[in-house]
Amino acid sequence: LRYTTVLSPDGEWGRQLPNGSFTGLIGKTQRKEVDMSLGPFSVTWERAQVVDFSSTLYVDGFGIFLPRPRLERDLAGFIKPFSW
Protein backbone atom coordinates (compact mmCIF):
# COMPACT_ATOMS: atom_id res chain seq x y z
CA LEU A 1 0.00 0.00 0.00
CA ARG A 2 1.38 3.40 -0.97
CA TYR A 3 -0.11 6.75 -0.09
CA THR A 4 0.75 10.42 -0.38
CA THR A 5 -0.32 13.00 2.16
CA VAL A 6 -1.92 16.04 0.56
CA LEU A 7 -2.81 19.11 2.61
CA SER A 8 -5.60 21.50 1.78
CA PRO A 9 -4.03 24.65 0.31
CA ASP A 10 -6.70 26.91 1.83
CA GLY A 11 -6.51 25.22 5.26
CA GLU A 12 -10.25 24.48 5.33
CA TRP A 13 -12.14 21.26 5.93
CA GLY A 14 -14.89 22.08 3.46
CA ARG A 15 -17.29 25.00 3.14
CA GLN A 16 -19.95 25.13 0.44
CA LEU A 17 -19.68 28.03 -1.97
CA PRO A 18 -22.69 29.72 -3.64
CA ASN A 19 -21.99 27.85 -6.92
CA GLY A 20 -22.36 24.45 -5.15
CA SER A 21 -18.67 23.54 -5.05
CA PHE A 22 -16.75 23.05 -1.81
CA THR A 23 -13.48 24.40 -0.45
CA GLY A 24 -10.90 22.43 1.51
CA LEU A 25 -10.62 18.67 1.70
CA ILE A 26 -14.28 18.10 0.87
CA GLY A 27 -13.71 20.08 -2.34
CA LYS A 28 -10.58 18.08 -3.23
CA THR A 29 -12.56 14.86 -2.77
CA GLN A 30 -15.53 16.23 -4.72
CA ARG A 31 -13.26 17.15 -7.65
CA LYS A 32 -11.53 13.72 -7.44
CA GLU A 33 -8.14 15.33 -6.80
CA VAL A 34 -7.73 12.86 -3.90
CA ASP A 35 -9.20 9.42 -3.28
CA MET A 36 -10.17 10.04 0.34
CA SER A 37 -9.93 12.66 3.07
CA LEU A 38 -9.28 12.25 6.77
CA GLY A 39 -10.22 14.82 9.35
CA PRO A 40 -12.69 15.83 12.04
CA PHE A 41 -15.54 16.38 9.58
CA SER A 42 -19.04 17.17 10.71
CA VAL A 43 -21.57 15.26 8.64
CA THR A 44 -23.97 17.74 7.06
CA TRP A 45 -26.69 17.26 4.46
CA GLU A 46 -24.80 19.40 1.94
CA ARG A 47 -21.53 17.48 2.36
CA ALA A 48 -23.31 14.11 2.24
CA GLN A 49 -24.64 15.03 -1.23
CA VAL A 50 -21.10 15.18 -2.70
CA VAL A 51 -19.03 12.69 -0.66
CA ASP A 52 -19.63 9.41 1.17
CA PHE A 53 -18.84 9.33 4.88
CA SER A 54 -17.54 6.29 6.74
CA SER A 55 -19.17 5.09 9.94
CA THR A 56 -18.47 7.16 13.03
CA LEU A 57 -15.08 6.49 14.57
CA TYR A 58 -15.23 8.87 17.52
CA VAL A 59 -17.91 10.94 19.25
CA ASP A 60 -16.86 14.04 21.17
CA GLY A 61 -19.03 15.05 24.09
CA PHE A 62 -17.92 18.69 23.96
CA GLY A 63 -20.31 21.14 25.58
CA ILE A 64 -20.51 24.70 26.84
CA PHE A 65 -21.87 25.36 30.31
CA LEU A 66 -23.09 28.69 31.65
CA PRO A 67 -24.46 29.54 35.07
CA ARG A 68 -28.23 29.68 35.28
CA PRO A 69 -29.49 33.26 35.61
CA ARG A 70 -31.00 34.12 38.95
CA LEU A 71 -33.76 36.50 39.81
CA GLU A 72 -32.73 39.73 41.49
CA ARG A 73 -34.97 42.19 43.28
CA ASP A 74 -34.20 45.69 42.10
CA LEU A 75 -36.70 48.51 42.50
CA ALA A 76 -34.92 50.58 39.82
CA GLY A 77 -34.63 47.65 37.37
CA PHE A 78 -37.17 49.13 34.99
CA ILE A 79 -34.80 52.00 34.08
CA LYS A 80 -31.66 49.85 33.56
CA PRO A 81 -32.29 49.33 29.81
CA PHE A 82 -31.96 53.11 29.38
CA SER A 83 -28.59 53.41 31.18
CA TRP A 84 -25.20 53.40 29.45
Side-chain angles (χ1 to χ4, degrees), residues 15-83:
R15 166 177 54 92
Q16 189 173 23
L17 299 174
N19 66 2
S21 65
F22 280 81
T23 62
L25 294 175
I26 296 288
K28 285 188 150 310
T29 309
Q30 178 188 29
R31 293 185 300 272
K32 300 187 184 312
E33 295 173 9
V34 296
D35 294 322
M36 63 181 262
S37 296
L38 176 66
F41 296 108
S42 297
V43 179
T44 64
W45 173 256
E46 292 81 13
R47 288 176 174 174
Q49 300 307 303
V50 296
V51 296
D52 292 325
F53 286 92
S54 67
S55 60
T56 303
L57 301 174
Y58 175 75
V59 176
D60 186 8
F62 179 76
I64 298 174
F65 298 96
L66 300 172
R68 180 176 289 186
R70 55 190 169 100
L71 295 175
E72 296 180 10
R73 295 178 187 244
D74 186 0
L75 294 176
F78 68 94
I79 62 170
K80 284 188 176 180
F82 302 108
S83 63

